Amino acid sequence: MDKTKIICRCEEISYEEIEEVVGHGAKTFDDIKRLTRCGMGPCQAKTCTNLVAMVIHEQTGTPLSEIPLPRIRMPLSPIKLETLATNSTTFSTVKSVLDELELEEGRVK
Amino acid sequence: MDGKYETIIIGGGVVGNGIAYHLSERYKEGVLVLDKKYPLSGTSGSTQAWVWVHNKTPSWYAELNYYSAELYPYLSKKIGDVEYKRTGGLSPFFQEKDKEKALYLAESYEKIGIKIKVLSKEEVLVKEQCINPKVVGATYSSIDGNVNPFRLIDRYMRSAKKNNVEYSTYNKVTDIKKQDGQYIIVSDKKNYMCKNLILAGGTWSNELGNMLGINIPIYQLRGQILVSEPLKPFLRHTVSGLRQANNGEVLMGYSMEKKGFNRSTTLDVIQETANMAVHYVPSLRKAKIVRAFSGIRAMPEDGFPILGTVPGFENLYVAATHSGVTLSPLIGTLITELILDGETSFPIDNYSISRFN
């Protein structure tokens, strides 16, 4: 493959940028993602997964069947925040940093 | 002997890499970093990466964070652009009763020379126009900011490698033994021997400690984060629960769950996080979320870092803590001083592992 070829269109990451981090020991799609942002854009690796696997295969000789897939997370395609929100303003697991302050005898500990 | 090093650091997260880099500034040979996977695959790669002082209590612990945050501008000069931004930190509150708490915080920080301002509603809306006008006030600290955690660890590693630090990744440590004043490290790939051993295993510190019969009481505390599409720059500060990255994406979330090593994202917390985000910044309603992720904090039993030597074990050092991003420049500096000079320029007695006996 041409070294300047764009592998991740969302983040404009080229073959040689991926090659460079594989040279530093990155082995999986997710390693490469964190170091280059490849696959972090709006399509969330839907376009580049197989292309990146090819680069890893070409650079390391790892059989394609042994290259792990990227971790897929919610939402599977972009979704508006208002669709997720229920408009409740009471929180339990989610906190503000002030919630964490503990007072002791009317003073901050 | 093959595999012989002066110093081995187990753990290539932000804490282990911070130590590796700072150590490499002063001695140039014989340092090895071991990582069970690849750096950034754990806690350090799944964080909002605030550099945060604001609500750390008590004051002696706030001081540790403060001095570490102060090292960031110099660190980014040395290791390269890590997208460190001292945005100022803002924690808005929406109920009158929180004002009292905010004033107590400001008062106790003033005593140690850290300025926290309690802002009125009007002042909040001048500083950050996008905040919900129902806000009552906010605490504000100018020292707070954020950094790109991927760039930070990558730059630490590249700079350390330049100074001859070696890395062995995808290499899990399975046993540690003490023999003739040296440590023998048994790993998936081979056995290593070293004089100085640093345990920087983050969430896995317990397991590492057990190999030597030491109790390093760290538990796992999950956080879940939502990531938006890139938006035009609008959020100027690091807000409690929200920050905007250089590329425009907004990271949102500040949640805590004891779920062990389970890194799932769950709809209930995602929805609560969405509620928090639109409550603080109503204009985010129309923003699109592209991803949710979760990360596991390495939380010491009493909430404070575990740093320094281990009684009864010569040349053994522990660095296990949450807030590793904020603290890594100072922890790196202090552990380096401890190894090379035998003492630290900043007292770390409060963080000794001996407090758990």
Side-chain angles (χ1 to χ4, degrees):
Chain A
M1 226 183 292
D2 178 358
K3 302 264 178 185
T4 58
K5 185 157 273 175
I6 297 294
I7 301 290
C8 167
R9 291 185 195 171
C10 303
E11 297 287 333
E12 292 187 15
I13 307 299
S14 68
Y15 186 102
E16 60 191 345
E17 287 172 84
I18 295 169
E19 184 184 26
E20 202 256 348
V21 298
V22 171
H24 276 279
K27 266 191 179 178
T28 66
F29 186 99
D30 286 338
D31 291 340
I32 293 165
K33 177 185 79 174
R34 296 181 192 109
L35 292 164
T36 65
R37 287 198 60 85
C38 175
M40 274 195 183
C43 96
Q44 288 291 305
K46 288 183 191 72
T47 311
C48 61
T49 299
N50 290 333
L51 292 167
V52 170
M54 275 308 292
V55 184
I56 298 171
H57 171 65
E58 284 181 21
Q59 294 297 318
T60 65
T62 310
L64 286 171
S65 58
E66 286 174 22
I67 298 170
L69 293 169
R71 185 163 196 161
I72 306 294
R73 293 281 201 182
M74 293 212 287
L76 297 179
S77 72
I79 180 176
K80 278 183 188 159
L81 210 49
E82 66 180 358
T83 312
L84 285 169
T86 61
N87 297 326
S88 161
T89 52
T90 52
F91 301 98
S92 57
T93 314
V94 173
K95 303 193 185 310
S96 106
V97 297
L98 281 180
D99 293 337
E100 280 193 290
L101 276 189
E102 288 170 34
L103 294 185
E104 199 175 62
E105 292 163 7
R107 286 281 175 276
V108 172
K109 267 211 275 193
Chain B
M1 175 193 154
D2 186 35
K4 199 165 183 254
Y5 290 86
E6 176 78 5
T7 302
I8 291 182
I9 300 166
I10 303 177
V14 69
V15 172
N17 262 306
I19 295 169
Y21 166 68
H22 285 91
L23 203 51
S24 77
E25 283 187 304
R26 288 184 56 191
Y27 72 50
K28 307 284 181 198
E29 297 295 335
V31 181
L32 173 73
V33 179
L34 294 172
D35 199 292
K36 73 192 287 248
K37 284 192 175 172
Y38 197 79
L40 290 170
S41 56
T43 309
S44 300
S46 48
T47 165
Q48 283 211 27
W50 303 345
V51 176
W52 196 255
V53 180
H54 210 122
N55 66 321
K56 304 281 174 74
T57 54
S59 54
W60 47 264
Y61 178 49
E63 250 183 323
L64 189 78
N65 288 272
Y66 176 79
Y67 285 113
S68 197
E70 285 285 30
L71 291 175
Y72 259 99
Y74 182 41
L75 179 72
S76 21
K77 290 278 181 235
K78 290 193 292 183
I79 66 174
D81 186 10
V82 293
E83 297 179 12
Y84 170 67
K85 299 189 294 286
R86 190 171 285 183
T87 57
L90 206 60
S91 182
F93 49 86
F94 293 85
Q95 287 171 337
E96 278 297 336
K97 68 176 170 59
D98 283 331
K99 194 169 201 165
E100 194 185 15
K101 212 173 182 183
L103 288 166
Y104 283 139
L105 177 71
E107 187 192 351
S108 67
Y109 268 38
E110 202 178 333
K111 289 181 194 144
I112 50 166
I114 302 175
K115 277 192 190 129
I116 297 256
K117 268 194 200 162
V118 180
L119 305 181
S120 68
K121 173 197 185 97
E122 292 71 25
E123 287 169 322
V124 178
L125 294 172
V126 167
K127 270 207 185 302
E128 197 65 88
Q129 290 167 9
C130 62
I131 297 280
N132 187 345
K134 287 180 189 152
V135 71
V136 170
T139 52
Y140 170 75
S141 134
S142 61
I143 183 85
D144 297 326
N146 59 66
V147 65
N148 180 330
F150 308 114
R151 294 270 67 80
L152 175 64
I153 279 120
D154 191 36
R155 296 309 312 180
Y156 266 145
M157 282 177 77
R158 284 170 193 265
S159 306
K161 280 180 182 171
K162 224 183 255 175
N163 292 344
N164 299 326
V165 173
E166 293 174 41
Y167 285 79
S168 179
T169 55
Y170 285 99
N171 192 7
K172 189 180 176 187
V173 171
T174 52
D175 200 11
I176 308 171
K177 289 176 217 156
K178 237 183 123 174
Q179 189 182 302
D180 306 328
Q182 301 268 312
Y183 292 96
I184 312 283
I185 319 296
V186 182
S187 73
D188 285 347
K189 289 186 184 167
K190 64 192 223 184
N191 293 359
Y192 302 94
M193 187 187 259
C194 64
K195 179 180 154 228
N196 303 313
L197 178 63
I198 301 162
L199 305 180
T203 50
W204 293 281
S205 294
N206 251 318
E207 283 80 349
L208 288 178
N210 287 341
M211 294 177 191
L212 284 164
I214 302 162
N215 174 32
I216 309 175
I218 293 274
Y219 66 93
Q220 295 80 31
L221 194 59
R222 183 168 77 186
Q224 298 190 35
I225 307 282
L226 300 179
V227 188
S228 81
E229 63 189 335
L231 303 167
K232 68 178 181 187
F234 72 100
L235 193 61
R236 295 170 54 208
H237 296 81
T238 307
V239 177
S240 166
L242 302 163
R243 73 139 167 134
Q244 189 168 27
N246 278 14
N247 72 342
E249 66 188 22
V250 176
L251 300 176
M252 43 200 113
Y254 193 61
S255 61
M256 287 166 200
E257 302 164 277
K258 287 187 189 178
K259 299 285 178 188
F261 286 101
N262 181 340
R263 274 179 74 172
S264 303
T265 44
T266 58
L267 188 59
D268 56 339
V269 177
I270 288 175
Q271 290 197 297
E272 208 175 288
T273 301
N275 285 338
M276 179 273 288
V278 302
H279 180 47
Y280 282 20
V281 180
S283 58
L284 278 173
R285 295 190 74 84
K286 300 288 176 194
K288 280 183 178 157
I289 296 304
V290 297
R291 190 172 180 90
F293 68 84
S294 88
I296 316 278
R297 297 177 186 86
M299 186 58 79
E301 196 177 83
D302 60 1
F304 300 114
I306 305 171
L307 299 176
T309 53
V310 181
F313 289 82
E314 213 183 341
N315 303 321
L316 180 69
Y317 305 86
V318 179
T321 183
H322 67 96
S323 299
V325 169
T326 303
L327 293 170
S328 80
L330 187 58
I331 289 178
T333 306
L334 295 173
I335 298 289
T336 298
E337 289 171 353
L338 201 55
I339 292 173
L340 297 181
D341 310 326
E343 57 182 7
T344 56
S345 54
F346 183 98
I348 55 170
D349 308 335
N350 283 328
Y351 307 107
S352 169
I353 193 168
S354 58
R355 70 183 187 270
F356 297 107
N357 290 335

